[in-house]
Amino acid sequence: MSSENEKMNIEPVPDAMEVAAENYNRWLSAVTPDEQAVLKLIAPADIADAFGRDLSFGTGGMRGKLGLGPNRLNIYTVAKATQGLANHLTASFDNPTVVLCYDTRHGSKAFVRRVAEVLAGNGIMSYLFERVEPTPAQSFAVRELGCSAGVVITASHNPADYNGYKVYGSDGCQITVAAARAIQAAIDPIDVFDGVTSLSFDEGRSQGLIQWVPERVLDRYIEETVKCSTSEECRNLKVVYTPLHGVGLECVSRALKAIGVPDPVLVEEQCVQDGDFPTCPYPNPEVREALELGIRYCEETDADLLLATDPDTDRLGIAVRHEGKYELLTGNELGLLLLDFLAKKAEESGEDISRKVAGTTIVSAPMADDMAHDHGFELRRTLTGFKFIGEQIGLLEQEGREGGFLMGFEESYGYLAGTFVRDKDAVVSAMLTCELAAHWKAEGLDLYEAMDSLYAHYGYWGNAQLTKAFEGAEGPSRMAAIVDGLRAAAPSKVAGIDVMEIIDYIDDVDMPTVNPSGAVQKLPPSNVIELRLVDGSRVLLRPSGTEPKVKAYLFAKAATRSASDEKLAQLKVAVKEILEGCS
């Protein structure tokens, strides 16, 4: 082993580094000369992380930094994962087919072509979008084309040095925990260099194993999107839109045009599809920095509303003009506004609201419960991950309630209306947000004021998310220790407020629904701890399933906005101390 370490110019270290050294030298001997040159430039300190373990495959597929090594997204790890997926599909379906989609990130086009090549080498036909398109369009296409699965190459809203590989089931939802485990088991025994079977892209095309998604599929996706319109008059609404260098421009523009939004002003610099994200290094519509250029466009045009979609167009962030400034609404706030708006529209149309079902997650706005009680619709809470909300549509269909889905939302800026997509969808969300803003503008209120009116009715709920990153080879174990430490010794007070109840989702949990029938959902185990405080405030902590982070979700309830803000600030301090103390 010492000779191998000398080749890497690093000192002998414990077993974890020896594994990394072995993997490094295997890659050094197997990759192309150009890639070998890149490998030789990797800093010794980065080798343990890049080569010390494999990328894990979960319900969100794989996500990681771009680069060489088994713990990076590259042409080899993508091919290995696809071989495992192919083996799984072949064992599960007689004649499996797959829809493939990709975004504007570095490597995405090469990766998606490699996916198609490996599938073709295993006799599996794939439909590939001929150009970049939104993730929700792929979810739609899986069901529209009757396919067995879907794959999207994207890292969603992560920085430019990341990419990802998301897998969808035949229902158009991201895969279940059971499917993810089965695919991981199929991936594990595959040798990253010698275990992959593939055809060239041209040969796959000539044999009919790689086909383009028919253009009619995207047209149908837009048609179904527009069917979700509430018919609210939008001609007096002034909108600025940015796709943040991603794929949303085509579909969002088509949807807004269909409902009569008058020529949205486009943030020209960010309409350029560029995986470097030069104007917003962190292309996340949740953060103000990513929206600053769009806000400047708003100020220049006196716009009512800024719409910003993330690079793969499944998340939507907004800014609204309020008292001469542009305020951002949180994912929870826009979700609540849309929920209230769609419930009222259903009531106005004469629909039986008690037959309607909305979905949200355990880490999303508690106010949704009160809203469901008030309007009389059913609210189902799921585990974190929009696939669980998408699954509720399938359950409603099994119950013979196909038209019963009102909407779904999660705090991380994901929303869904309609049943034609089974994942969060920023295209339909952008369309409905325009109608929402036009409705309240006609009433003399901006969306910030409209949210204030909901707070005045239901109580103020300040909300925030804290994260603690754990990079490196030891990241996963340190992340687990955070929640395990809290599980072993939960505090009796948070920010001086007594903890009334501790809910540990690691065991099966009976989650009451807001339901006229009094039904109870049983949630499957999940590594989440929830602290419910005596004043109604809440704190939830969980390790991220797609990023090396522990996430904390904070909800501060109070009678006024200022009191809620003050309490939220105190909760932030206390939870930061908890995160530091447990790590």
Side-chain angles (χ1 to χ4, degrees):
M1 200 67 193
S2 60
S3 62
E4 293 177 336
N5 285 333
E6 288 169 6
K7 287 165 64 178
M8 294 171 53
N9 194 32
I10 59 175
E11 293 296 323
V13 289
D15 291 346
M17 195 58 194
E18 291 181 3
V19 170
E22 183 177 349
N23 283 334
Y24 174 89
N25 290 303
R26 170 86 195 286
W27 280 63
L28 192 62
S29 65
V31 299
T32 68
D34 287 345
E35 291 167 335
Q36 289 173 358
V38 173
L39 280 176
K40 292 174 182 177
L41 295 176
I42 298 178
D46 295 331
I47 288 173
D49 186 42
F51 293 88
R53 57 193 170 95
D54 290 352
L55 279 175
S56 60
F57 192 99
T59 55
M62 305 186 303
R63 189 178 299 177
K65 290 184 176 180
L66 292 161
L68 292 171
N71 192 34
R72 295 289 186 265
L73 248 293
N74 52 66
I75 212 74
Y76 303 103
T77 54
V78 164
K80 177 178 176 177
T82 306
Q83 183 64 56
L85 175 63
N87 293 348
H88 171 74
L89 292 174
T90 301
S92 305
F93 297 90
D94 290 335
N95 294 292
T97 55
V98 183
V99 175
L100 307 179
C101 187
Y102 65 106
D103 69 3
T104 59
R105 288 179 176 273
H106 294 305
S108 287
K109 186 173 183 179
F111 292 164
V112 82
R113 288 170 68 95
R114 187 61 179 145
V115 173
E117 291 172 343
V118 175
L119 292 174
N122 287 269
I124 298 174
M125 192 186 80
S126 61
Y127 293 97
L128 171 61
F129 277 95
E130 198 165 0
R131 58 188 180 274
V132 293
E133 294 295 356
T135 289
Q138 182 267 0
S139 172
F140 173 78
V142 169
R143 298 176 66 249
E144 181 75 2
L145 295 172
C147 291
S148 314
V151 175
V152 182
I153 303 298
T154 178
S156 187
H157 57 293
N158 285 86
D161 57 343
Y162 280 78
N163 212 327
Y165 182 112
K166 293 199 291 190
V167 178
Y168 289 70
S170 59
D171 60 356
C173 297
Q174 289 190 51
I175 53 173
T176 64
V177 173
R181 288 173 178 166
I183 295 170
Q184 180 71 74
I187 293 171
D188 287 340
I190 295 169
D191 184 90
V192 70
F193 297 113
D194 301 328
V196 176
T197 302
S198 67
L199 292 178
S200 72
F201 191 84
D202 289 343
E203 189 173 358
R205 288 279 295 149
S206 68
Q207 293 187 24
L209 289 168
I210 302 174
Q211 300 188 18
W212 301 124
V213 172
E215 195 67 27
R216 63 172 174 80
V217 172
L218 197 68
D219 293 339
R220 284 271 301 117
Y221 168 66
I222 297 299
E223 288 172 11
E224 292 297 320
T225 297
V226 176
K227 285 180 183 178
C228 293
S229 168
T230 65
S231 301
E232 192 75 38
E233 177 58 65
C234 292
R235 62 184 173 183
N236 294 321
L237 191 69
K238 299 173 68 174
V239 177
V240 172
Y241 169 61
T242 171
L244 298 181
H245 298 290
V247 305
L249 180 60
E250 177 186 4
C251 288
V252 171
S253 296
R254 289 178 65 177
L256 298 192
K257 182 178 181 180
I259 63 166
V261 175
D263 295 330
V265 175
L266 302 178
V267 181
E268 294 180 1
E269 298 92 329
Q270 294 178 338
C271 289
V272 177
Q273 295 176 346
D274 189 337
D276 282 325
F277 308 114
T279 66
C280 52
Y282 187 24
N284 184 349
E286 302 178 32
V287 299
R288 191 176 185 95
E289 289 78 6
L291 274 58
E292 287 291 0
L293 185 57
I295 289 172
R296 290 208 295 272
Y297 270 69
C298 287
E299 291 168 343
E300 292 169 1
T301 60
D302 199 28
D304 299 302
L305 177 68
L306 170 66
L307 301 171
T309 54
D310 71 337
D312 69 323
T313 320
D314 61 356
R315 298 171 192 251
L316 173 71
I318 69 169
V320 299
R321 185 180 60 199
H322 174 66
E323 296 182 349
K325 297 181 180 180
Y326 286 88
E327 303 283 352
L328 273 61
L329 298 188
T330 69
N332 279 313
E333 289 174 331
L334 181 54
L336 291 167
L337 282 166
L338 287 169
L339 183 59
D340 177 70
F341 177 61
L342 293 176
K344 288 176 178 175
K345 286 292 184 181
E347 291 166 339
E348 291 170 5
S349 68
E351 295 184 71
D352 183 355
I353 195 69
S354 69
R355 297 284 294 168
K356 291 290 185 179
V357 176
T360 190
T361 70
I362 59 174
V363 299
S364 299
M367 187 198 291
D369 291 359
D370 298 332
M371 192 175 288
H373 280 297
D374 198 12
H375 285 286
F377 59 81
E378 179 182 346
L379 179 71
R380 299 179 182 179
R381 287 195 180 268
T382 71
L383 295 179
T384 309
F386 218 92
K387 59 185 168 292
F388 297 113
I389 296 175
E391 285 175 355
Q392 294 300 318
I393 300 174
L395 293 175
L396 287 172
E397 289 173 342
Q398 293 173 22
E399 298 168 13
R401 301 171 62 186
E402 289 84 350
F405 185 67
L406 183 61
M407 72 162 291
F409 79 93
E410 62 181 2
E411 43 67 45
S412 55
Y413 293 66
Y415 321 94
L416 176 65
T419 61
F420 58 101
V421 168
R422 303 297 166 91
D423 200 3
K424 51 187 176 287
D425 184 348
V427 180
V428 73
S429 305
M431 181 190 76
L432 289 172
T433 298
C434 288
E435 296 184 335
L436 169 74
H439 167 81
W440 283 110
K441 184 176 182 180
E443 297 290 322
L445 298 178
D446 59 54
L447 289 185
Y448 186 92
E449 293 166 333
M451 190 66 227
D452 245 0
S453 71
L454 291 182
Y455 282 138
H457 183 71
Y458 294 107
Y460 283 81
W461 284 90
N463 63 97
Q465 184 183 130
L466 301 178
T467 61
K468 183 174 176 64
F470 294 90
E471 302 282 358
E474 297 180 354
S477 60
R478 294 178 62 206
M479 287 168 57
I482 287 274
V483 182
D484 289 344
L486 189 62
R487 181 172 287 122
S492 60
K493 294 178 181 288
V494 179
I497 306 167
D498 288 339
V499 175
M500 177 182 68
E501 182 181 8
I502 300 170
I503 302 175
D504 189 347
Y505 293 87
I506 202 67
D507 300 314
D508 289 349
V509 172
D510 286 338
M511 177 61 64
T513 63
V514 179
N515 186 345
S517 71
V520 174
Q521 296 171 265
K522 186 173 286 292
L523 298 182
S526 183
N527 193 14
V528 182
I529 295 284
E530 178 176 354
L531 307 178
R532 294 194 175 183
L533 312 186
V534 293
D535 67 343
S537 300
R538 301 180 187 183
V539 174
L540 298 94
L541 290 96
R542 72 175 184 92
S544 171
T546 55
E547 303 170 87
K549 297 177 179 178
V550 170
K551 296 185 176 182
Y553 305 83
L554 284 56
F555 299 96
K557 187 175 184 181
T560 65
R561 181 183 287 274
S562 60
S564 175
D565 290 344
E566 182 179 353
K567 187 178 293 185
L568 185 63
Q570 294 168 350
L571 285 176
K572 286 182 180 179
V573 172
V575 172
K576 284 180 181 178
E577 291 176 355
I578 290 173
L579 290 173
E580 295 297 333
C582 292
S583 61

